[in-house]
Coordinates of all heavy atoms in Angstrom, one line a residue:
A19 N 0.8 -1.2 0.0 CA 0.0 0.0 0.0 C 0.9 1.3 -0.1 O 0.5 2.3 -0.6 CB -0.9 0.0 1.2
D20 N 2.0 1.2 0.7 CA 2.9 2.4 0.7 C 3.4 2.7 -0.7 O 3.5 3.9 -1.0 CB 4.1 2.1 1.7 CG 3.7 2.1 3.1 OD1 2.6 2.7 3.4 OD2 4.4 1.6 3.9
R21 N 3.8 1.7 -1.5 CA 4.3 2.0 -2.8 C 3.2 2.6 -3.7 O 3.5 3.4 -4.5 CB 4.8 0.7 -3.5 CG 6.1 0.3 -2.9 CD 6.7 -0.9 -3.6 NE 7.9 -1.4 -3.1 CZ 9.1 -1.1 -3.8 NH1 9.1 -0.5 -4.9 NH2 10.2 -1.5 -3.2
I22 N 2.0 2.1 -3.6 CA 0.9 2.6 -4.3 C 0.7 4.1 -3.9 O 0.5 4.9 -4.8 CB -0.4 1.8 -4.2 CG1 -0.2 0.5 -4.7 CG2 -1.6 2.5 -4.8 CD1 -1.3 -0.6 -4.5
D23 N 0.7 4.4 -2.6 CA 0.5 5.8 -2.1 C 1.7 6.6 -2.8 O 1.4 7.8 -3.1 CB 0.5 5.8 -0.6 CG -0.7 5.2 0.0 OD1 -1.7 5.2 -0.7 OD2 -0.7 4.8 1.2
Q24 N 2.8 6.1 -2.7 CA 4.0 6.9 -3.2 C 3.8 7.2 -4.8 O 4.0 8.3 -5.3 CB 5.3 6.2 -3.1 CG 5.7 6.1 -1.6 CD 7.0 5.2 -1.5 OE1 7.4 4.6 -2.4 NE2 7.5 5.1 -0.2
F25 N 3.3 6.1 -5.5 CA 3.1 6.3 -6.9 C 2.0 7.3 -7.1 O 2.1 8.2 -8.0 CB 2.8 4.9 -7.6 CG 3.0 4.9 -9.0 CD1 4.3 5.1 -9.6 CD2 2.0 4.6 -9.9 CE1 4.5 5.1 -10.9 CE2 2.2 4.5 -11.3 CZ 3.4 4.8 -11.7
R26 N 0.9 7.2 -6.4 CA -0.2 8.2 -6.5 C 0.3 9.6 -6.3 O -0.1 10.5 -7.1 CB -1.3 7.9 -5.5 CG -2.3 6.8 -5.8 CD -3.3 6.8 -4.7 NE -4.1 5.5 -4.8 CZ -4.5 4.9 -3.8 NH1 -4.3 5.3 -2.6 NH2 -5.2 3.8 -4.0
R27 N 1.1 9.8 -5.3 CA 1.6 11.1 -5.0 C 2.5 11.6 -6.1 O 2.3 12.8 -6.6 CB 2.4 11.0 -3.7 CG 2.8 12.4 -3.1 CD 3.4 12.4 -1.7 NE 4.0 11.1 -1.3 CZ 3.4 10.2 -0.5 NH1 2.3 10.3 -0.1 NH2 4.1 9.1 -0.2
R28 N 3.3 10.8 -6.7 CA 4.2 11.2 -7.8 C 3.3 11.6 -9.1 O 3.6 12.6 -9.7 CB 5.1 10.1 -8.2 CG 6.5 10.2 -7.6 CD 7.4 9.2 -8.1 NE 7.2 8.0 -7.3 CZ 7.5 6.8 -7.7 NH1 8.1 6.5 -8.9 NH2 7.3 5.7 -7.0
I29 N 2.2 10.8 -9.4 CA 1.4 11.2 -10.4 C 0.8 12.5 -10.2 O 0.7 13.3 -11.1 CB 0.3 10.1 -10.6 CG1 0.9 8.8 -11.2 CG2 -0.9 10.5 -11.5 CD1 0.0 7.6 -11.3
R30 N 0.2 12.7 -9.0 CA -0.5 14.0 -8.6 C 0.5 15.1 -8.8 O 0.2 16.1 -9.4 CB -1.0 13.9 -7.3 CG -1.9 14.9 -6.9 CD -2.7 14.8 -5.5 NE -1.8 14.4 -4.4 CZ -1.7 13.2 -3.8 NH1 -2.5 12.2 -4.2 NH2 -0.9 12.9 -2.9
E31 N 1.7 15.0 -8.2 CA 2.7 16.1 -8.1 C 3.2 16.4 -9.6 O 3.5 17.6 -9.8 CB 3.8 15.7 -7.2 CG 3.4 15.8 -5.7 CD 4.4 15.2 -4.8 OE1 5.5 14.8 -5.2 OE2 4.1 15.2 -3.6
S32 N 3.3 15.4 -10.3 CA 3.9 15.6 -11.7 C 2.8 16.3 -12.6 O 3.2 16.8 -13.7 CB 4.4 14.3 -12.3 OG 3.3 13.5 -12.7
G33 N 1.6 16.2 -12.3 CA 0.6 16.7 -13.1 C 0.3 15.7 -14.4 O -0.3 16.2 -15.4
E34 N 0.7 14.5 -14.2 CA 0.4 13.5 -15.2 C -1.1 13.5 -15.6 O -1.9 13.4 -14.7 CB 0.9 12.2 -14.9 CG 0.8 11.0 -15.9 CD 1.4 9.8 -15.4 OE1 2.6 9.6 -15.5 OE2 0.6 8.9 -15.0
S35 N -1.4 13.5 -16.9 CA -2.8 13.5 -17.4 C -3.3 12.0 -17.3 O -2.5 11.1 -17.2 CB -2.8 14.0 -18.8 OG -2.3 13.1 -19.7
L36 N -4.6 11.9 -17.4 CA -5.2 10.7 -17.4 C -4.7 9.8 -18.6 O -4.4 8.7 -18.5 CB -6.7 10.8 -17.5 CG -7.6 9.5 -17.5 CD1 -7.3 8.6 -16.4 CD2 -9.0 9.9 -17.6
L37 N -4.6 10.5 -19.7 CA -4.1 9.8 -20.9 C -2.7 9.3 -20.7 O -2.4 8.1 -21.1 CB -4.1 10.8 -22.2 CG -3.6 10.2 -23.5 CD1 -4.3 8.9 -23.9 CD2 -3.6 11.3 -24.5
Q38 N -1.8 10.1 -20.1 CA -0.5 9.6 -19.8 C -0.4 8.4 -18.9 O 0.3 7.5 -19.1 CB 0.4 10.8 -19.2 CG 0.7 11.8 -20.3 CD 1.3 13.1 -19.5 OE1 0.8 13.4 -18.5 NE2 2.2 13.7 -20.2
T39 N -1.3 8.4 -17.8 CA -1.5 7.3 -16.9 C -1.9 6.1 -17.7 O -1.3 4.9 -17.5 CB -2.4 7.6 -15.8 OG1 -1.9 8.8 -15.1 CG2 -2.6 6.5 -14.8
M40 N -2.9 6.2 -18.6 CA -3.4 5.1 -19.3 C -2.3 4.5 -20.2 O -2.1 3.3 -20.4 CB -4.6 5.4 -20.0 CG -5.8 5.6 -19.1 SD -7.3 6.3 -20.0 CE -7.7 4.9 -21.0
K41 N -1.5 5.4 -20.9 CA -0.4 4.9 -21.8 C 0.6 4.3 -21.0 O 1.3 3.4 -21.5 CB 0.1 6.1 -22.5 CG -0.8 6.6 -23.7 CD -0.2 7.7 -24.4 CE -0.9 8.3 -25.5 NZ -0.2 9.4 -26.2
R42 N 0.8 4.6 -19.8 CA 1.8 3.9 -18.9 C 1.3 2.5 -18.5 O 2.1 1.5 -18.3 CB 2.0 4.8 -17.7 CG 3.1 4.1 -16.8 CD 3.2 4.9 -15.4 NE 3.3 6.3 -15.5 CZ 4.2 6.9 -14.9 NH1 5.0 6.4 -14.1 NH2 4.2 8.3 -15.0
I43 N 0.0 2.4 -18.1 CA -0.6 1.2 -17.6 C -0.9 0.2 -18.6 O -0.6 -1.0 -18.4 CB -1.9 1.6 -16.8 CG1 -1.5 2.3 -15.5 CG2 -2.7 0.3 -16.4 CD1 -2.7 2.8 -14.8
L44 N -1.4 0.5 -19.7 CA -1.8 -0.5 -20.7 C -0.8 -1.4 -21.2 O -1.0 -2.7 -21.2 CB -2.6 0.1 -21.9 CG -4.1 -0.1 -21.8 CD1 -4.8 0.8 -20.8 CD2 -4.7 0.0 -23.2
P45 N 0.5 -1.0 -21.5 CA 1.5 -1.9 -21.9 C 1.8 -2.9 -20.8 O 2.1 -4.1 -21.2 CB 2.7 -1.0 -22.2 CG 2.1 0.3 -22.5 CD 0.8 0.5 -21.7
E46 N 1.7 -2.6 -19.6 CA 2.1 -3.4 -18.5 C 0.9 -4.5 -18.4 O 1.1 -5.7 -18.2 CB 2.2 -2.7 -17.2 CG 3.4 -1.8 -17.3 CD 4.7 -2.4 -17.7 OE1 5.0 -3.5 -17.2 OE2 5.5 -1.9 -18.5
L47 N -0.3 -4.1 -18.5 CA -1.5 -5.0 -18.4 C -1.5 -6.0 -19.6 O -1.8 -7.1 -19.4 CB -2.8 -4.1 -18.4 CG -3.0 -3.4 -17.1 CD1 -4.3 -2.5 -17.2 CD2 -3.1 -4.3 -15.9
T48 N -1.1 -5.5 -20.7 CA -1.2 -6.4 -21.9 C -0.2 -7.5 -21.8 O -0.3 -8.6 -22.4 CB -1.0 -5.7 -23.2 OG1 0.2 -5.0 -23.3 CG2 -2.2 -4.7 -23.5
K49 N 0.9 -7.3 -21.0 CA 1.9 -8.3 -20.8 C 1.4 -9.5 -20.1 O 1.9 -10.6 -20.1 CB 3.1 -7.8 -20.1 CG 3.9 -6.8 -20.9 CD 5.0 -6.1 -20.0 CE 5.8 -5.0 -20.8 NZ 6.8 -4.4 -19.9
L50 N 0.2 -9.3 -19.4 CA -0.3 -10.4 -18.5 C -1.2 -11.3 -19.3 O -1.7 -12.3 -18.7 CB -1.1 -9.7 -17.4 CG -0.4 -8.7 -16.5 CD1 -1.2 -8.1 -15.5 CD2 0.8 -9.5 -15.8
S51 N -1.5 -11.0 -20.6 CA -2.4 -11.9 -21.4 C -1.6 -12.4 -22.6 O -1.0 -11.6 -23.3 CB -3.5 -11.0 -21.8 OG -4.2 -11.6 -22.9
P52 N -1.8 -13.7 -22.9 CA -1.2 -14.2 -24.1 C -1.7 -13.5 -25.4 O -1.0 -13.4 -26.4 CB -1.6 -15.7 -24.1 CG -2.2 -16.0 -22.8 CD -2.5 -14.7 -22.2
Q53 N -2.9 -13.0 -25.3 CA -3.5 -12.3 -26.5 C -3.0 -10.8 -26.5 O -3.4 -10.1 -27.5 CB -5.0 -12.4 -26.5 CG -5.5 -13.7 -26.6 CD -5.5 -14.6 -25.2 OE1 -5.5 -13.9 -24.2 NE2 -5.7 -15.9 -25.4
A54 N -2.4 -10.4 -25.5 CA -1.9 -9.0 -25.4 C -3.1 -8.0 -25.4 O -3.1 -7.0 -25.9 CB -0.9 -8.6 -26.4
T55 N -4.2 -8.5 -24.7 CA -5.4 -7.6 -24.6 C -5.8 -7.5 -23.2 O -5.5 -8.3 -22.3 CB -6.6 -8.2 -25.4 OG1 -6.9 -9.5 -24.8 CG2 -6.2 -8.4 -26.9
V56 N -6.6 -6.5 -22.9 CA -7.1 -6.2 -21.5 C -8.5 -5.7 -21.6 O -8.9 -4.9 -22.5 CB -6.3 -5.0 -20.8 CG1 -6.7 -4.9 -19.4 CG2 -4.8 -5.3 -21.0
H57 N -9.3 -6.3 -20.7 CA -10.8 -5.8 -20.7 C -10.9 -4.5 -20.2 O -10.2 -4.0 -19.3 CB -11.6 -6.8 -19.9 CG -13.1 -6.7 -20.1 ND1 -13.8 -5.8 -19.5 CD2 -13.8 -7.4 -21.0 CE1 -15.1 -5.9 -20.0 NE2 -15.1 -6.9 -20.9
A58 N -11.8 -3.7 -20.7 CA -12.0 -2.4 -20.2 C -12.2 -2.2 -18.7 O -11.8 -1.2 -18.1 CB -13.3 -1.8 -21.0
K59 N -13.0 -3.1 -18.1 CA -13.2 -3.2 -16.7 C -11.8 -3.2 -15.9 O -11.7 -2.6 -14.9 CB -14.1 -4.2 -16.2 CG -15.6 -4.0 -16.7 CD -16.4 -5.2 -16.2 CE -17.8 -5.1 -16.6 NZ -18.7 -6.1 -16.2
T60 N -10.9 -4.0 -16.5 CA -9.6 -4.2 -15.8 C -8.8 -2.9 -16.0 O -8.1 -2.4 -15.0 CB -8.9 -5.4 -16.4 OG1 -9.6 -6.6 -16.3 CG2 -7.4 -5.6 -15.8
I61 N -8.9 -2.3 -17.1 CA -8.2 -1.0 -17.3 C -8.7 0.0 -16.4 O -8.0 0.7 -15.7 CB -8.4 -0.5 -18.7 CG1 -7.7 -1.4 -19.8 CG2 -7.9 0.9 -19.0 CD1 -8.1 -1.3 -21.2
Y62 N -10.1 0.1 -16.2 CA -10.8 1.1 -15.3 C -10.2 0.8 -13.8 O -9.8 1.8 -13.2 CB -12.2 1.0 -15.4 CG -12.9 1.6 -14.2 CD1 -12.9 3.0 -14.2 CD2 -13.5 1.0 -13.2 CE1 -13.5 3.7 -13.1 CE2 -14.1 1.6 -12.1 CZ -14.1 3.0 -12.1 OH -14.7 3.6 -11.0
S63 N -10.2 -0.5 -13.4 CA -9.8 -0.8 -12.1 C -8.4 -0.4 -11.8 O -8.0 0.1 -10.8 CB -10.0 -2.3 -11.9 OG -11.3 -2.7 -11.9
A64 N -7.5 -0.7 -12.8 CA -6.0 -0.4 -12.7 C -5.8 1.1 -12.6 O -5.1 1.6 -11.7 CB -5.3 -1.0 -13.8
V65 N -6.5 1.9 -13.4 CA -6.3 3.4 -13.5 C -6.9 3.9 -12.1 O -6.3 4.7 -11.5 CB -7.0 4.0 -14.7 CG1 -7.1 5.5 -14.5 CG2 -6.3 3.6 -15.9
N66 N -8.0 3.4 -11.7 CA -8.7 3.9 -10.5 C -7.9 3.6 -9.2 O -8.0 4.3 -8.3 CB -10.1 3.3 -10.4 CG -11.0 4.2 -9.7 OD1 -10.9 5.4 -9.9 ND2 -12.0 3.6 -8.9
I67 N -7.0 2.7 -9.2 CA -6.1 2.4 -8.1 C -5.1 3.6 -8.0 O -4.8 4.0 -6.9 CB -5.3 1.1 -8.2 CG1 -6.3 -0.1 -8.0 CG2 -4.2 1.0 -7.3 CD1 -5.6 -1.4 -8.3
L68 N -4.6 4.1 -9.1 CA -3.6 5.2 -9.1 C -4.2 6.6 -9.0 O -3.6 7.5 -8.4 CB -2.7 5.1 -10.3 CG -1.9 3.8 -10.4 CD1 -1.2 3.7 -11.8 CD2 -1.0 3.6 -9.2
R69 N -5.5 6.7 -9.6 CA -6.0 8.0 -9.5 C -7.6 7.8 -9.6 O -8.1 7.2 -10.5 CB -5.6 8.9 -10.6 CG -5.7 8.4 -12.0 CD -5.1 9.1 -13.1 NE -5.5 10.5 -13.2 CZ -4.8 11.5 -13.7 NH1 -3.6 11.3 -14.1 NH2 -5.3 12.7 -13.7
R70 N -8.3 8.3 -8.6 CA -9.7 8.2 -8.6 C -10.3 8.9 -9.8 O -10.1 10.1 -9.9 CB -10.3 8.8 -7.3 CG -9.8 8.1 -6.0 CD -10.5 6.7 -6.0 NE -10.1 6.0 -4.8 CZ -9.9 4.7 -4.8 NH1 -10.2 4.0 -5.8 NH2 -9.5 4.1 -3.6
T71 N -11.0 8.1 -10.6 CA -11.5 8.6 -11.9 C -12.7 7.9 -12.2 O -12.8 6.7 -12.0 CB -10.5 8.4 -13.0 OG1 -9.2 8.9 -12.7 CG2 -11.0 9.1 -14.3
A72 N -13.8 8.6 -12.7 CA -15.1 8.0 -13.0 C -14.8 7.2 -14.3 O -13.8 7.4 -15.0 CB -16.0 9.2 -13.3
P73 N -15.6 6.2 -14.6 CA -15.4 5.4 -15.8 C -15.6 6.2 -17.1 O -14.8 5.9 -18.1 CB -16.5 4.4 -15.7 CG -17.2 4.5 -14.4 CD -16.7 5.8 -13.8
G74 N -16.4 7.2 -17.1 CA -16.7 7.9 -18.4 C -15.4 8.5 -19.1 O -15.2 8.1 -20.3
P75 N -14.6 9.1 -18.4 CA -13.4 9.7 -19.0 C -12.4 8.6 -19.5 O -11.7 8.8 -20.5 CB -12.7 10.6 -17.9 CG -13.9 10.9 -17.0 CD -14.8 9.8 -17.1
I76 N -12.3 7.5 -18.8 CA -11.4 6.4 -19.2 C -12.0 5.8 -20.5 O -11.2 5.6 -21.5 CB -11.3 5.4 -18.0 CG1 -10.6 6.0 -16.9 CG2 -10.6 4.1 -18.5 CD1 -10.6 5.2 -15.5
F77 N -13.3 5.5 -20.5 CA -13.8 4.9 -21.6 C -13.9 5.8 -22.8 O -13.7 5.3 -23.9 CB -15.2 4.3 -21.3 CG -15.2 3.3 -20.3 CD1 -16.2 3.1 -19.3 CD2 -14.2 2.3 -20.2 CE1 -16.2 2.2 -18.3 CE2 -14.2 1.3 -19.2 CZ -15.2 1.2 -18.2
A78 N -14.0 7.1 -22.5 CA -14.0 8.1 -23.7 C -12.6 8.0 -24.3 O -12.4 8.1 -25.5 CB -14.3 9.5 -23.1
L79 N -11.5 8.0 -23.4 CA -10.2 8.0 -24.1 C -9.9 6.7 -24.8 O -9.3 6.7 -25.9 CB -9.1 8.2 -23.0 CG -8.9 9.6 -22.4 CD1 -8.0 9.6 -21.2 CD2 -8.5 10.6 -23.5
L80 N -10.4 5.6 -24.3 CA -10.2 4.3 -25.0 C -10.8 4.4 -26.4 O -10.2 3.9 -27.3 CB -10.9 3.2 -24.2 CG -10.1 2.6 -23.0 CD1 -11.0 1.6 -22.2 CD2 -8.8 2.0 -23.4
S81 N -12.0 5.0 -26.5 CA -12.7 5.0 -27.8 C -12.3 6.1 -28.7 O -12.6 6.1 -29.9 CB -14.2 5.0 -27.5 OG -14.6 6.2 -26.9
T82 N -11.6 7.1 -28.2 CA -11.1 8.3 -29.2 C -9.7 8.4 -29.4 O -9.3 8.9 -30.5 CB -11.6 9.6 -28.5 OG1 -11.0 9.8 -27.2 CG2 -13.1 9.6 -28.4
E83 N -8.8 7.8 -28.6 CA -7.3 7.9 -28.8 C -6.9 6.9 -29.7 O -7.2 5.7 -29.5 CB -6.6 7.9 -27.5 CG -6.8 9.1 -26.6 CD -6.2 10.3 -27.3 OE1 -5.2 10.2 -27.9 OE2 -6.8 11.4 -27.1
P84 N -6.2 7.2 -30.8 CA -5.8 6.2 -31.8 C -4.8 5.1 -31.3 O -4.8 4.0 -31.9 CB -5.1 7.0 -32.9 CG -5.0 8.3 -32.4 CD -5.8 8.5 -31.2
C85 N -4.2 5.4 -30.2 CA -3.2 4.4 -29.6 C -3.9 3.2 -29.0 O -3.4 2.2 -28.8 CB -2.2 5.0 -28.7 SG -3.0 5.8 -27.3
F86 N -5.2 3.4 -28.6 CA -6.0 2.3 -28.0 C -6.8 1.7 -29.1 O -7.6 2.3 -29.7 CB -6.8 2.9 -26.8 CG -6.1 3.6 -25.8 CD1 -6.5 4.9 -25.4 CD2 -5.0 3.1 -25.1 CE1 -5.8 5.6 -24.5 CE2 -4.3 3.8 -24.2 CZ -4.7 5.0 -23.8
V87 N -6.6 0.3 -29.2 CA -7.2 -0.4 -30.3 C -8.2 -1.4 -29.7 O -7.9 -2.3 -28.9 CB -6.2 -1.2 -31.1 CG1 -6.7 -1.9 -32.2 CG2 -5.1 -0.2 -31.6
S88 N -9.5 -1.3 -30.1 CA -10.5 -2.2 -29.6 C -10.3 -3.5 -30.4 O -10.1 -3.7 -31.6 CB -11.9 -1.7 -30.0 OG -12.9 -2.6 -29.7
M89 N -10.4 -4.6 -29.5 CA -10.3 -6.0 -30.1 C -11.6 -6.7 -30.1 O -11.6 -7.9 -30.3 CB -9.2 -6.7 -29.3 CG -7.8 -6.1 -29.2 SD -7.1 -5.7 -30.9 CE -6.6 -7.3 -31.4
G90 N -12.6 -6.0 -29.7 CA -13.9 -6.6 -29.6 C -14.2 -7.2 -28.2 O -13.3 -7.5 -27.5
G91 N -15.5 -7.3 -27.9 CA -15.9 -7.9 -26.7 C -15.5 -7.1 -25.4 O -15.4 -7.7 -24.4
G92 N -15.1 -5.8 -25.6 CA -14.7 -5.1 -24.5 C -13.2 -5.2 -24.2 O -12.7 -4.6 -23.2
Y93 N -12.5 -5.8 -25.0 CA -11.0 -6.0 -24.9 C -10.3 -5.0 -25.7 O -10.7 -4.6 -26.8 CB -10.6 -7.4 -25.2 CG -10.9 -8.4 -24.2 CD1 -12.3 -9.0 -24.3 CD2 -10.1 -8.7 -23.2 CE1 -12.6 -9.9 -23.3 CE2 -10.5 -9.6 -22.2 CZ -11.8 -10.2 -22.3 OH -12.1 -11.1 -21.3
W94 N -9.2 -4.5 -25.2 CA -8.4 -3.5 -25.8 C -6.9 -3.8 -25.7 O -6.5 -4.6 -24.9 CB -8.5 -2.1 -25.0 CG -9.9 -1.6 -25.2 CD1 -11.1 -2.0 -24.4 CD2 -10.5 -0.6 -26.0 NE1 -12.1 -1.3 -24.7 CE2 -11.8 -0.5 -25.8 CE3 -9.8 0.1 -27.0 CZ2 -12.6 0.3 -26.5 CZ3 -10.7 1.0 -27.8 CH2 -12.0 1.2 -27.5
T95 N -6.1 -3.2 -26.7 CA -4.7 -3.3 -26.6 C -4.2 -1.9 -27.0 O -5.0 -1.0 -27.2 CB -4.2 -4.3 -27.7 OG1 -2.9 -4.6 -27.4 CG2 -4.4 -4.0 -29.1
I96 N -2.9 -1.8 -26.9 CA -2.3 -0.4 -27.2 C -1.3 -0.6 -28.3 O -0.6 -1.6 -28.4 CB -1.7 0.2 -26.0 CG1 -1.2 1.6 -26.3 CG2 -0.5 -0.7 -25.5 CD1 -0.8 2.4 -25.0
D97 N -1.4 0.3 -29.3 CA -0.4 0.3 -30.4 C 0.5 1.6 -30.1 O 0.1 2.7 -30.4 CB -1.2 0.5 -31.7 CG -0.2 0.5 -32.9 OD1 1.0 0.6 -32.7 OD2 -0.8 0.4 -34.0
E98 N 1.6 1.2 -29.5 CA 2.5 2.4 -29.0 C 3.1 3.2 -30.3 O 3.5 4.2 -30.1 CB 3.6 1.8 -28.2 CG 3.0 1.2 -26.9 CD 4.0 0.8 -25.9 OE1 4.7 1.6 -25.3 OE2 4.1 -0.5 -25.7
T99 N 3.0 2.6 -31.5 CA 3.4 3.4 -32.6 C 2.5 4.5 -33.0 O 2.8 5.5 -33.7 CB 3.6 2.5 -33.8 OG1 2.4 2.0 -34.3 CG2 4.6 1.4 -33.6
R100 N 1.2 4.4 -32.4 CA 0.2 5.4 -32.7 C 0.0 6.3 -31.5 O -0.9 7.2 -31.5 CB -1.1 4.7 -33.0 CG -1.0 3.9 -34.3 CD -2.2 3.0 -34.4 NE -3.5 3.7 -34.8 CZ -4.6 3.1 -34.9 NH1 -4.7 1.8 -34.7 NH2 -5.7 3.8 -35.2
A101 N 0.8 6.1 -30.5 CA 0.8 6.9 -29.2 C 1.2 8.3 -29.3 O 2.1 8.7 -30.1 CB 1.5 6.2 -28.1

């Protein structure tokens, strides 16, 4: 919990945007799946651990930013070449 608190504090103090946080988290989450995909609910949960955020802004970024690629069924991946 202490490490999470430290990471939260660093994000807050640096002024990191929600988009930047998501671009940092998604590559790590995709490593956990053989298909290199992550469900939107998992993305929301992971982001919400680091910064309290309503689901709307997270899902809006998923659907509008070209680096986030929908794989269907609520699963997403990141194309870092489009980031």
Side-chain angles (χ1 to χ4, degrees):
D20 287 340
R21 286 186 178 253
I22 292 172
D23 289 338
Q24 290 172 356
F25 201 60
R26 278 187 194 144
R27 193 171 22 261
R28 269 187 272 156
I29 288 171
R30 190 174 50 250
E31 289 171 358
S32 72
E34 180 174 284
S35 71
L36 177 58
L37 177 59
Q38 290 168 321
T39 301
M40 290 173 65
K41 285 181 177 179
R42 182 194 307 228
I43 289 174
L44 255 75
E46 298 306 314
L47 292 175
T48 60
K49 291 176 186 175
L50 302 173
S51 161
Q53 296 81 18
T55 61
V56 185
H57 197 274
K59 289 180 183 180
T60 303
I61 296 167
Y62 167 71
S63 295
V65 169
N66 212 32
I67 287 171
L68 298 176
R69 56 187 306 152
R70 295 290 178 210
T71 307
I76 293 169
F77 298 141
L79 286 173
L80 283 174
S81 61
T82 59
E83 289 295 322
C85 61
F86 303 128
V87 181
S88 174
M89 303 304 286
Y93 286 87
W94 294 82
T95 193
I96 186 166
D97 181 347
E98 295 184 72
T99 65
R100 298 167 71 182

